[in-house]
Amino acid sequence: MNTFDLANESVRQLNQTLHSNQCKDAEIAVINPGGKHSIAVGAMVNCQVNIDGHVGYYCAGMNQQADIVINGNAGPGLAENMMSGTVRVKGNASQYCAATAHGGLLVVEGDAAARCGISMKGIDIVVQGSIGHMSAFMAQTGRLVVFGDAGDALGDSIYEARIYLQGQPKSLGSDCIEKPMNDEHKQELGELLARANSTGVDISNFRRYGSARELYNFKVDNLSAY
Amino acid sequence: MSKKIDQSWLNESATFTRPVIREIQRAASEGIYDIRGFGAKRSIPTFDDLLFLGASVSRYPLEGYREKCDTRVTLGTRFAKKPIEISTPITIAGMSFGALSAQAKEALGRGATEVGTSTTTGDGGMTPEERQHSKILVYQYLPSRYGMNPDDLRKADAIEVVVGQGAKPGGGGMLLGQKISERVAQMRDLPQGIDQRSACRHPDWTGPDDLEIKIQELREITDWQVPIYVKVGATRTFFDVQLAVKAGADVVVVDGMQGGTAATQEVFIEHVGIPTLPATRLAVEALKGIDMHRKVQLIVSGGIRTGADVAKALAMGADAVSIGTAALIAMGDNSPEFENEYNELGTSAGYYDDYQDGKDPSGISTQDPELGRRLDPELAGRRVANYLRCLTLETQTLARAAGKTDVHNLEPEDMVALTIEASAMAKVPLAGTDWIPGVTHKF
Ligand SMILES: Cc1cc2nc3c(=O)[nH]c(=O)nc-3n(C[C@H](O)[C@H](O)[C@H](O)COP(=O)(O)O)c2cc1C
């Protein structure tokens, strides 16, 4: 196993390694991350990265294929624009985690702050705590599962992404509505929970939210909603 | 039968002009602002308000076709391992696939490549056609992040973080449903046929300190190989340029308020931002103020049409310029050959600005496959190349007349202003005087 001690080695050295084939199927340990930014960004091959401690901005940004675990809290923009692979944070995640992410799975074991899943484009997100305001803003596709509550304006201007929420939304954003939980959705949620290794929740407690599709084409009569 | 009227009684109001009256009538009937393409149409101070002094007894010129006048420029010398080298200081600005047809994007790539300059992607991602046909391709990193992915990021020769655009600083994008073809929808991960709003600010950073961290992330992902540009609409230009440099930009792109767009509210196009002329001066002052002029390269855009515009922008201190609208016109936009079809659309060659509509008879600003096929990418690419060559020759002509062996040796001292406004904005003296408003006072 490769170990990067970020107290002595640079983030640059770590990322350069993650961009080469030499770490394919390898296990990489990162210690003393010290809240540094851009840790393990742009990973390109299948590997396991375990980060022991807190990370700063954009950890796991644009991840492809790698499985990254953060044994701590994550700063803003965790797993932004992720394409594939998995990212799991054992603590909390700051603002805009998984922003514009296209694929893969993000699991936040604690809470996620404001704008979780903003503009998401295909990623699946499972937050085992609560999420902040304006989450899933302009969310395009993908799924967002939340065990706790959501802040104000959940799913504002949402497109085709699906939100499964166990707790309460403080308010729903423009064009976001509650939708029926059919068998298809229960099955989908069950699969997501299994992929996230999340146990101890009852699927029947979740409600589904998505787009009313009223704002898809500009109509002047909807002006107050824009 | 209407009665014959005496034309001399018709006195048009300077306040309520006919276009103003027409717009009030349109607003009253439709209840929504006008969205259109093209750039500002109002009259503003431009590079036309400056003149070169040329040669004189004390300044001797270079021989027109014989003596060398270099046009090359290297962009991104600050941090990137692989800066970009272009043979002419004129680049093609970012215009999205979606706003433009695949044929138009290919043609821009071909034209730019033929003369050794760069072209730029746009909101909507990189298409394989444009990558294939563009030797030097700049990849835009926009708030919407439509089509953004690390594979394309690594294929790019430079990355341009778009903070704003001259036509709409502070405004997001809008691609109306009629232009969302299956391919565009798929690239943007959205359903076909719905309006696509592009966000007006980035989803995962706000402010200059975040931008610095964001740029660092992009460099880490691309292993510090390629230059990173920051593009801003011209507004608080002095501060924006200094902040972009502080955030780590290799190149700053400043787009004046008259810059083109594919679809923006008319009120935005005409009323927000400052013109390219004062923006260029402010940007150069900002760079000089922190000893970064020529270390961080400056590209200016917005209303560049002729070699005179290029030469004046360089003389004021820009390293290169960028063109959008003019490149579309070079390909065939607003050409009289489509006059009948323009008439069908209620307009005329020379006035067409409905790029948002997708019905462009020239096949440029459309996603209709039938219309798109009308544009031959080879021919249109050839026209872009011809036009770029012409601009380059014109720029060299002016530089040689001022005795310069490199177009970048042009300087503000080679110019005078025709109007007091331009003199104040460009800080070059009013022609025939040594007066610059706000700088020198002679009584
Ligand atoms: C059809 C069209 C599409 C454009 N799309 C984009 C875009 O996607 N991203 C961007 O930063 N600017 C975009 N622009 C602005 C150009 O990059 C550039 O700033 C502007 O065209 C320069 O002004 P000019 O048209 O007067 O040359 C677009 C402009 C046009 C005309």
Side-chain angles (χ1 to χ4, degrees):
Chain A
M1 187 165 84
N2 248 325
T3 299
F4 281 87
D5 181 351
L6 294 187
N8 304 317
E9 287 160 291
S10 66
V11 171
R12 182 80 286 271
Q13 286 167 301
L14 167 66
N15 288 330
Q16 190 75 62
T17 306
L18 291 174
H19 300 169
S20 73
N21 250 328
Q22 85 196 54
C23 68
K24 196 161 167 30
D25 302 320
E27 215 174 291
I28 293 164
V30 178
I31 58 171
N32 294 314
K36 293 200 167 80
H37 307 313
S38 306
I39 292 177
V41 296
M44 308 167 71
V45 296
N46 192 353
C47 60
Q48 174 75 43
V49 183
N50 297 313
I51 303 168
D52 204 14
H54 308 307
V55 295
Y57 278 57
Y58 308 128
C59 179
M62 298 208 194
N63 183 43
Q64 284 172 304
Q65 298 190 47
D67 296 318
I68 299 174
V69 176
I70 299 147
N71 194 10
N73 299 321
L78 171 69
E80 67 86 18
N81 214 86
M82 172 152 83
M83 305 303 291
S84 59
T86 63
V87 173
R88 175 181 290 269
V89 56
K90 302 266 187 188
N92 302 316
S94 182
Q95 300 181 80
Y96 15 86
C97 66
T100 75
H102 288 69
L105 174 72
L106 169 66
V107 182
V108 180
E109 294 191 0
D111 298 324
R115 298 187 169 83
C116 166
I118 182 171
S119 198
M120 56 195 272
K121 295 167 169 45
I123 189 177
D124 292 322
I125 308 170
V126 176
V127 180
Q128 298 183 352
S130 294
I131 57 174
H133 67 267
M134 291 298 277
S135 286
F137 174 60
M138 290 178 92
Q140 296 179 207
T141 64
R143 282 113 13 135
L144 169 62
V145 180
V146 183
F147 291 9
D149 300 323
D152 265 324
L154 176 66
D156 194 288
S157 306
I158 188 170
Y159 293 98
E160 294 297 302
R162 287 178 177 172
I163 302 172
Y164 295 103
L165 181 69
Q166 184 173 235
Q168 293 300 315
K170 191 156 181 222
S171 66
L172 295 180
S174 281
D175 215 28
C176 182
I177 54 168
E178 189 179 341
K179 295 183 154 186
M181 272 297 265
N182 301 330
D183 288 345
E184 162 205 354
H185 305 114
K186 287 180 185 152
Q187 192 186 335
E188 176 174 86
L189 178 56
E191 284 164 13
L192 282 166
L193 294 174
R195 263 177 68 208
N197 286 328
S198 297
T199 48
V201 277
D202 182 354
I203 286 175
S204 62
N205 289 338
F206 283 80
R207 297 177 186 210
R208 179 168 75 98
Y209 301 85
S211 179
R213 305 189 178 100
E214 293 288 332
L215 302 183
Y216 273 14
N217 292 90
F218 190 91
K219 287 191 218 81
V220 73
D221 300 326
N222 290 334
L223 204 57
S224 59
Y226 287 100
Chain B
M1 263 297 274
S2 57
K3 210 172 116 192
K4 259 228 154 120
I5 50 165
D6 180 353
Q7 298 283 330
S8 62
W9 283 104
L10 299 179
N11 181 10
E12 184 171 355
S13 164
T15 308
F16 288 90
T17 58
R18 276 171 289 173
V20 167
I21 291 174
R22 185 74 199 91
E23 170 55 18
I24 294 172
Q25 291 161 344
R26 189 208 59 76
S29 103
E30 294 174 14
I32 175 181
Y33 41 55
D34 186 23
I35 292 181
R36 66 168 175 85
F38 221 79
K41 293 186 170 182
R42 64 189 295 168
S43 166
I44 51 169
T46 67
F47 290 124
D48 278 349
D49 301 316
L50 302 180
L51 294 173
F52 279 110
L53 290 172
S56 55
V57 176
S58 58
R59 302 287 157 93
Y60 63 89
L62 297 187
E63 200 59 64
Y65 300 99
R66 299 284 174 269
E67 287 178 287
K68 197 166 161 48
C69 179
D70 206 349
T71 57
R72 284 171 302 177
V73 47
T74 307
L75 301 168
T77 47
R78 188 183 183 194
F79 290 122
K81 286 193 191 126
K82 293 182 191 154
I84 281 178
E85 313 238 355
I86 52 179
S87 342
T88 175
I90 310 155
T91 64
I92 304 290
M95 294 183 277
S96 68
F97 168 68
L100 301 187
S101 62
Q103 290 86 346
K105 288 298 285 176
E106 179 183 331
L108 291 171
R110 284 174 178 273
T113 301
E114 203 174 314
V115 301
T117 189
S118 62
T119 184
T120 314
T121 66
D123 209 357
M126 184 190 285
T127 66
E129 294 98 317
E130 75 178 326
R131 179 59 280 189
Q132 188 190 336
H133 294 287
S134 313
K135 182 151 182 288
I136 308 171
L137 183 59
V138 183
Y139 188 37
Q140 284 199 328
Y141 188 74
L142 292 123
S144 72
R145 312 273 167 88
Y146 288 139
M148 167 54 54
N149 68 75
D151 295 330
D152 287 345
L153 199 69
R154 292 187 181 104
K155 279 184 211 145
D157 300 295
I159 299 164
E160 181 169 296
V161 178
V162 180
V163 178
Q165 200 182 316
K168 47 178 171 185
M174 172 70 105
L175 198 57
L176 295 180
Q178 54 267 39
K179 286 182 83 169
I180 312 299
S181 65
E182 203 179 330
R183 183 170 178 205
V184 173
Q186 201 206 343
M187 275 181 74
R188 298 180 182 216
D189 303 287
L190 281 169
Q192 203 178 337
I194 74 170
D195 295 346
Q196 292 187 355
R197 292 154 285 168
S198 300
C200 66
R201 62 166 197 258
H202 284 262
D204 58 356
W205 64 270
T206 45
D209 297 334
D210 280 7
L211 175 58
E212 184 171 350
I213 304 170
K214 175 49 78 177
I215 288 178
Q216 188 209 355
E217 184 207 7
L218 295 172
R219 290 203 194 276
E220 281 296 320
I221 293 172
T222 52
D223 294 324
W224 295 72
Q225 296 291 312
V226 299
I228 297 191
Y229 302 9
V230 172
K231 175 176 179 176
V232 292
T235 60
R236 295 170 187 86
T237 305
F238 184 86
F239 300 106
D240 282 350
V241 169
Q242 291 201 341
L243 290 170
V245 172
K246 179 180 169 289
D250 293 302
V251 174
V252 182
V253 183
V254 176
D255 190 26
M257 65 83 68
Q258 67 264 53
T261 174
T264 300
Q265 299 91 331
E266 156 102 8
V267 71
F268 221 139
I269 297 177
E270 299 286 359
H271 297 280
V272 185
I274 65 169
T276 308
L277 179 70
T280 305
R281 192 206 91 237
L282 285 167
V284 173
E285 271 179 10
L287 291 172
K288 286 187 169 160
I290 48 177
D291 194 23
M292 279 294 177
H293 189 224
R294 307 289 186 214
K295 294 177 190 159
V296 165
Q297 283 75 39
L298 172 68
I299 302 180
V300 299
S301 59
I304 303 292
R305 308 146 298 170
T306 63
D309 289 339
V310 179
K312 290 169 189 174
L314 298 186
M316 287 182 66
D319 295 276
V321 302
S322 205
I323 58 168
T325 307
L328 305 188
I329 295 171
M331 286 195 285
D333 169 64
N334 270 295
S335 161
E337 71 182 287
F338 307 113
E339 181 60 12
N340 289 341
E341 284 155 288
Y342 285 133
N343 293 165
E344 289 284 316
L345 297 169
T347 182
S348 181
Y351 299 89
Y352 183 68
D353 59 15
D354 286 323
Y355 297 162
Q356 81 289 350
D357 229 11
K359 298 189 186 123
D360 187 347
S362 71
I364 295 170
S365 62
T366 182
Q367 287 302 317
D368 179 332
E370 285 290 304
L371 292 173
R373 266 196 290 280
R374 289 181 176 194
L375 189 79
D376 173 353
E378 277 183 45
L379 177 64
R382 179 82 208 170
R383 287 178 178 156
V384 171
N386 282 342
Y387 174 61
L388 288 169
R389 282 195 188 102
C390 180
L391 290 183
T392 308
L393 286 170
E394 287 178 348
T395 308
Q396 285 174 306
T397 299
L398 294 170
R400 282 199 184 98
K404 313 292 183 186
T405 54
D406 187 313
V407 291
H408 295 93
N409 292 345
L410 285 164
E411 52 195 340
E413 288 67 28
D414 293 314
M415 298 187 292
V416 292
L418 271 174
T419 66
I420 294 173
E421 286 85 352
S423 172
M425 291 182 190
K427 287 200 182 161
V428 301
L430 188 66
T433 77
D434 55 4
W435 183 54
I436 300 171
V439 176
T440 50
H441 296 279
K442 288 264 153 132
F443 298 103

